[in-house]
Amino acid sequence: MNFLKKNQDEQVAESAESGENRPRGTWEETSTMNDEEAHRDVRYSIKSSFNQTVCMFKTQMALYSKRKSIYVLLVMAIMIPIIYYYIKDIFPMGTFTEKSGNGMMGLMLFLLPLVMALFTGSLLSSLMPKEFKDRSAYMNMALPMSRFSFCIGKYLAGLVVTVGVFVFAFGMAMAGSMTDYTQYDEESLGLAFILMVLALMVFTSFAFAIGCFIKRGTTILAFIIMGFILPSIELYLAMSEKVDMDMLMFMPNLLPDMVSISLGSNATGSVVGFINAFVPIIDITELNLVAVTVISIVWTLVFLGIGIFAVSRREM
């Protein structure tokens, strides 16, 4: 007993020396570190918007690496030549395109308008709704992450993935056409590639803006609008002569059709592209690339701005 009491007295004494039993309302320095060791002279600041955007871009790219739909589309791109050779033996596809390497590529990219609308709708329309549904946005958009950097980083990731997938599909179409042709019109190839990149900017920004206004991610809405509603309206206005037919050359949503047509194909798998096989609607020789580029960039910036504005006004 005396031994236990002695140990308790020693613990009380040690506690008193360390300040644990210090009377309330008193203070004394207990740290032996100087200012440099304690980091008292270090100033902490919020990272720049650029660093925030890069951080969000990397995070979203990591998430995209787990999306099965991306790998499914890549597999479909690899199968483009195989599907083409199977179909051409059943249907007389040669009547819809010029007999050249470029024309064969255009025919292989027959479904480009619909596939682009479907894929961008799937990838970008569900981007922001998923963030709010999973409540990850409530952590990401808290300080120091600004909503602008949050949105830009995610959109750029979606754009980069989309461009990568369709450039791969473009390359597979070219590789498939090399089995029958060895020479290509380089000018037409360059024009088609530029139009495809512009089309991806237009479609991704529109799908992103749509997703910022809805609570639940949906692929169908952006797909229907870009793949059917807008082309149908434009076709009706042009055929009824309410607008000049040449105005269709400046419609950003028809850029995927222009890709195949610029390669030599007369038809594409869309409302306008299908009619174009029988009634020439899009005359690629009248294309003003500078004007189309400016319109596409303005379209992209406007819809991207609309999407960011919707997110900035959204209650957390």
Side-chain angles (χ1 to χ4, degrees), residues 2-278:
N2 293 334
F3 175 75
L4 292 176
K5 186 175 185 305
K6 181 179 180 181
N7 286 343
Q8 291 175 355
D9 293 339
E10 291 178 354
Q11 292 177 0
V12 171
E14 291 177 357
S15 299
E17 291 178 0
S18 62
E20 294 181 5
N21 293 333
R22 189 182 302 111
R24 293 183 180 181
T26 63
W27 178 89
E28 65 181 40
E29 182 64 45
T30 59
S31 176
T32 59
M33 295 187 296
N34 55 34
D35 290 345
E36 182 177 358
E37 293 173 341
H39 300 282
R40 296 190 182 96
D41 57 345
V42 177
R43 296 183 61 184
Y44 296 93
S45 59
I46 298 174
K47 288 186 176 182
S48 66
S49 298
F50 176 78
N51 289 332
Q52 295 174 25
T53 304
V54 171
C55 179
M56 185 50 59
F57 172 82
K58 292 180 179 179
T59 302
Q60 188 59 44
M61 288 295 289
L63 294 174
Y64 277 146
S65 66
K66 302 177 182 179
R67 289 286 293 269
K68 295 181 180 179
S69 59
I70 297 175
Y71 298 103
V72 170
L73 192 59
L74 288 175
V75 173
M76 291 177 60
I78 296 174
M79 295 180 64
I80 286 177
I82 301 174
I83 296 173
Y84 169 79
Y85 280 105
Y86 177 77
I87 294 178
K88 80 171 186 176
D89 293 334
I90 302 175
F91 302 101
M93 303 292 289
T95 58
F96 294 106
T97 185
E98 300 176 0
K99 293 183 179 180
S100 64
N102 293 49
M104 189 173 176
M105 284 182 61
L107 200 55
M108 287 186 179
L109 298 175
F110 179 82
L111 294 177
L112 183 64
L114 295 181
V115 174
M116 187 177 293
L118 182 63
F119 184 72
T120 55
S122 172
L123 205 66
L124 277 300
S125 291
S126 60
L127 196 59
M128 299 309 296
K130 182 175 175 58
E131 288 289 334
F132 285 95
K133 180 182 178 180
D134 297 342
R135 297 190 176 275
S136 56
Y138 294 88
M139 296 181 290
N140 291 326
M141 288 195 293
L143 289 177
M145 176 66 70
S146 69
R147 297 194 181 194
F148 177 82
S149 297
F150 178 78
C151 294
I152 291 294
K154 284 191 165 292
Y155 169 74
L156 289 178
L159 178 62
V160 168
V161 170
T162 306
V163 170
V165 168
F166 281 93
V167 166
F168 179 75
F170 191 87
M172 288 304 303
M174 186 173 184
S177 65
M178 287 181 178
T179 56
D180 293 343
Y181 300 93
T182 57
Q183 295 182 350
Y184 297 86
D185 184 352
E186 296 180 358
E187 184 177 350
S188 297
L189 283 176
L191 176 62
F193 186 83
I194 293 173
L195 292 176
M196 186 179 68
V197 174
L198 293 175
L200 292 172
M201 292 169 54
V202 168
F203 276 64
T204 53
S205 61
F206 181 80
F208 177 80
I210 290 293
C212 291
F213 281 94
I214 56 180
K215 294 183 178 180
R216 294 184 179 180
T218 175
T219 302
I220 301 301
L221 184 59
F223 170 67
I224 291 177
I225 294 176
M226 295 295 280
F228 297 97
I229 295 179
L230 285 181
S232 298
I233 294 175
E234 293 162 353
L235 182 62
Y236 168 76
L237 294 176
M239 299 298 289
S240 61
E241 298 183 352
K242 293 184 179 181
V243 296
D244 191 352
M245 189 76 74
D246 294 336
M247 291 298 295
L248 293 179
M249 300 297 296
F250 299 98
M251 298 295 104
N253 63 291
L254 297 181
L255 282 170
D257 298 274
M258 297 181 196
V259 172
S260 295
I261 293 174
S262 65
L263 289 170
S265 177
N266 300 321
T268 60
S270 69
V271 176
V272 175
F274 182 76
I275 300 297
N276 192 78
F278 306 98

